[in-house]
Amino acid sequence: MSTTTYAGNRERIVGIAAELFARNSYHGTGIAELSKAAGLGRGALYHYIGSKETLLYEISKTQVDRMNAHAEALLGSGLETEDLLRGMAKGLLCNIAEHRSEWAVFFREYTALTGENRDRVVAARERYEGYWRQALDRGVADGVLRPVPRLLVKGILGMLNYTYLWFEPDGEVGTDELADAFLDALLDGIRTA
């Protein structure tokens, strides 16, 4: 089997697992159910996944890693503060809309991870929060935002993150429009006079 075929099969299995974990929960999804959904025997399934927790880890970490890379690129791009924050918000909402099951699993199930897997996911999440803090701090340093409590980042991310529960990508409002509406409300509250 070629590396490309292996990687494609593994990615397909991870996607199936994300759907099942989002619908039935991590603990509520058994290997037999996953095997059936993937159309593989248990032995073949384990060849691709290693363990059920490995699947949970990959689902939980992949999207956070993507958002960290997105935030790093934006922070290094020299954008003005407002454009930086809007770019971060739009990137996150777009990713949530495109990977809703994965985010549902991340938010609901990452605590089932153990040891180093959990530590790496928590560290990745904290790094992402840190990028938002850097963007806000840059706005304060540039004189366009007033200082805000450090916990505001958690509030901003809560507002954006939990769209996975209710946002309909094919609805009347798109991801960019929603991100702009959220950022308008936020920035109107923390801009300097």
Side-chain angles (χ1 to χ4, degrees):
M1 177 184 306
S2 73
T3 305
T4 305
T5 304
Y6 177 85
N9 285 337
R10 189 169 190 331
E11 185 176 323
R12 183 180 68 80
I13 293 166
V14 170
I16 291 167
E19 291 289 331
L20 289 172
F21 293 172
R23 185 173 58 234
N24 305 328
S25 83
Y26 171 70
H27 292 296
T29 303
I31 290 296
E33 183 179 6
L34 188 53
S35 292
K36 182 178 178 183
L40 296 170
R42 292 172 77 101
L45 181 66
Y46 278 112
H47 168 74
Y48 287 106
I49 67 167
S51 71
K52 189 173 145 187
E53 184 174 339
T54 300
L55 276 175
L56 178 59
Y57 171 74
E58 189 166 325
I59 293 164
S60 298
K61 191 145 183 313
T62 298
Q63 300 312 318
V64 177
D65 284 347
R66 286 181 181 162
M67 295 319 305
N68 277 325
H70 179 72
E72 288 168 7
L74 288 174
L75 281 162
S77 70
L79 290 171
E80 297 290 327
T81 300
E82 184 170 329
D83 293 331
L84 171 61
L85 290 167
R86 287 184 189 282
M88 291 171 71
K90 288 176 181 180
L92 179 57
L93 287 188
C94 183
N95 188 279
I96 289 171
E98 291 173 1
H99 302 280
R100 199 168 181 172
S101 292
E102 291 88 339
W103 283 105
V105 171
F106 172 80
F107 291 124
R108 296 177 190 159
E109 307 289 351
Y110 86 91
T111 56
L113 292 168
T114 60
E116 288 182 16
N117 285 342
R118 183 177 175 145
D119 293 346
R120 284 191 290 264
V121 168
V122 169
R125 185 194 67 207
E126 288 173 354
R127 192 165 84 238
Y128 187 62
E129 289 177 8
Y131 292 139
W132 277 87
R133 178 83 252 156
Q134 285 178 44
L136 292 171
D137 288 347
R138 182 182 293 177
V140 172
D142 291 345
V144 296
L145 300 179
R146 61 185 168 80
V148 295
R150 295 194 66 76
L151 281 177
L152 182 65
V153 169
K154 291 195 181 293
I156 294 167
L157 289 175
M159 177 174 62
L160 297 168
N161 287 341
Y162 286 93
T163 58
Y164 87 91
L165 290 170
W166 53 265
F167 180 72
E168 293 296 333
D170 298 327
E172 63 185 56
V173 176
T175 55
D176 284 357
E177 188 179 353
L178 182 60
D180 280 333
F182 280 166
L183 263 291
D184 287 344
L186 169 70
L187 291 171
D188 285 348
I190 64 173
R191 276 193 193 100
T192 55

